[in-house]
Amino acid sequence: MSRIWLLLLLLGTGSAGAQELYVFSEPASNMPAHSLSAKLGYRVAGTHQAGKVWQRFSPELMFGLSRQWMLHTAATFSNFYSQGQRLESGRIYSKYRFYSNDDVHQHFRMAAFAEASWSNSPFVFGDVNLEGDNSGVQGGLVATQLVRKLALSGTAS
């Protein structure tokens, strides 16, 4: 049955006329000024325990404050470290685009960002992750080069 769903998913995949789709990272480009966006992330994992399924929901609000500034706020709700779903963490992220060289069908942009996260989960894994598992702060730079339909982005933090 799962093979049928996978086949239908692959057959239903088409071509999209989008650019700069970064699912797990941020490009140097910002959202349009005075805009609001919402995103809901979901992660699921199973364990060898009797029927235990770990779930993490991550609602996020994103604000385009101006051409240069954007702000994200997020929370996570999870049963990763508890018996039931509970508020697990909160996060705030801000990005300032300080350089933009735009041309026809291409651009190069650079931005600085800062992020802070609070988590009430126990410290279990030593991974660098501010998406529910750990508390901390991070800052850095991101650069994005777009040439026609190819976008390359690098982050140092």
Side-chain angles (χ1 to χ4, degrees):
M1 185 66 169
S2 63
R3 289 181 184 169
I4 293 172
W5 284 110
L6 179 61
L7 180 64
L8 288 173
L9 177 68
L10 291 174
L11 290 175
T13 305
S15 175
Q19 67 184 34
E20 292 190 51
L21 175 62
Y22 294 86
V23 179
F24 295 109
S25 65
E26 278 285 325
S29 302
N30 282 345
M31 297 173 54
H34 312 296
S35 64
L36 171 67
S37 180
K39 178 169 65 171
L40 177 63
Y42 175 69
R43 294 183 184 183
V44 63
T47 69
H48 297 293
Q49 299 172 4
K52 174 77 172 177
V53 176
W54 292 340
Q55 300 178 67
R56 178 177 288 153
F57 296 92
S58 304
E60 183 172 3
L61 288 176
M62 299 168 280
F63 306 93
L65 303 175
S66 69
R67 289 185 57 209
Q68 287 83 24
W69 281 102
M70 82 187 263
L71 178 71
H72 294 206
T73 60
T76 61
F77 300 88
S78 166
N79 67 346
F80 276 29
Y81 306 103
S82 64
Q83 292 299 321
Q85 290 287 330
R86 66 173 174 87
L87 175 65
E88 181 181 54
S89 73
R91 187 172 77 244
I92 189 164
Y93 171 91
S94 181
K95 182 172 60 174
Y96 177 73
R97 189 183 72 214
F98 61 86
Y99 180 78
S100 185
N101 182 1
D102 296 341
D103 204 352
V104 177
H105 302 296
Q106 68 180 16
H107 67 242
F108 178 72
R109 296 177 180 168
M110 292 184 71
F113 67 89
E115 180 176 19
S117 176
W118 158 85
S119 175
N120 62 2
S121 297
F123 184 75
V124 177
F125 304 106
D127 62 342
V128 180
N129 165 352
L130 297 180
E131 297 179 4
D133 295 311
N134 300 312
S135 297
V137 294
Q138 128 174 303
L141 298 173
V142 58
T144 301
Q145 173 72 57
L146 174 70
V147 178
R148 299 197 182 272
K149 294 183 179 184
L150 174 67
L152 301 172
S153 188
T155 302
S157 67

